[in-house]
Every structure is written in C-alpha cells, then in structure tokens.
C-alpha cells in the first residue's frame, strides 16, 4: 500500500511547513460526508500518531490513519495551479464516482 506526492505537492508542503516553523508533514485521510459518501481530509501534522502509516516522498512525510488507508491506497497528491486558482488534487485510482459538486467520492 502506498500514498505518494508529486514534486510540486512536496515543494508546497515543505515551503508551508518552513513558514509555519513546525510540523512533520501532511496528514491525509477520508471522512464520511457528501452525496457520494466520502471526502478527503488534508491537514498539516505536528507529530505522528502511533497508529499512523507513514510514507515519505521527495523529503516530505504523508501520514495516513489505518482506517483511511484502504480508500487511499495508490493515491497521488498533486499541487496544481489553474488560472488564478491553486490547490491540492487527489489522483485516486480507487475512485469509482465523484459527486457533481466535486466535494465527495465513492470507491
């Protein structure tokens, strides 16, 4: 099982953690919500929990809780700029469907 970051995502996270002055990486998970059932959770992590599964890509750690890992296995986290907008994009091969508003997904 694996979760990866593109170079662009790793650079963004590393820059943000540097400005923030603390943190060990980014925590990725899923929560039950929306019309399709699941939504991604992404937050900066100050420390790893004992149960976290830790992946490291381009010098940046991605922490995933064991309950979320089956839904996220194979996911690549990217950071993209599209016009004036920028943000993280999830490329998850397990996604079967996404709701019309883009807030939730189904596996």
């Amino acid at each position: 099982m694996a979760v990866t970051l593109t170079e662009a995502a790793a650079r963004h996270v590393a820059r943000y953690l540097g400005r923030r002055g603390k943190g060990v990486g980014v925590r990725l998970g899923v929560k039950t919500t929306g019309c399709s059932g699941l939504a991604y959770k992404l937050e900066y992590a100050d420390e790893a929990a004992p149960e976290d599964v830790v992946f490291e890509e381009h010098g940046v750690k991605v922490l995933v809780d064991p309950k979320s890992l089956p839904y996220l296995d194979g996911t690549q986290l990217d950071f993209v700029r599209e016009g004036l907008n920028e943000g993280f994009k999830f490329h998850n091969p397990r996604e079967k469907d996404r709701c019309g508003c883009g807030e939730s997904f189904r596996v």
Side-chain angles (χ1 to χ4, degrees), residues 5 8-27 42-47 55-63 88:
L5 291 170
R11 272 194 313 271
H12 181 76
V13 170
R15 257 193 321 262
Y16 184 82
L17 290 174
R19 280 189 296 228
R20 198 170 168 249
K22 65 178 180 176
V24 296
V26 64
R27 183 178 309 281
L42 181 68
E43 61 189 13
Y44 292 97
D46 290 333
E47 59 186 41
F55 302 98
E56 190 163 341
E57 190 87 15
H58 306 290
V60 173
K61 290 182 181 172
V62 179
L63 302 100
F88 288 104

Side-chain angles (χ1 to χ4, degrees), residues 54-103:
V54 181
F55 302 98
E56 190 163 341
E57 190 87 15
H58 306 290
V60 173
K61 290 182 181 172
V62 179
L63 302 100
V64 181
D65 68 270
K67 289 181 181 176
S68 295
L69 191 55
Y71 302 106
L72 297 172
D73 184 32
T75 297
Q76 181 184 57
L77 183 61
D78 194 8
F79 188 80
V80 296
R81 288 189 172 98
E82 296 171 344
L84 297 175
N85 298 318
E86 64 180 22
F88 288 104
K89 273 218 164 149
F90 300 91
H91 302 284
N92 185 344
R94 296 185 177 278
E95 268 190 35
K96 302 287 186 237
D97 193 22
R98 207 172 243 279
C99 71
C101 64
E103 289 296 315

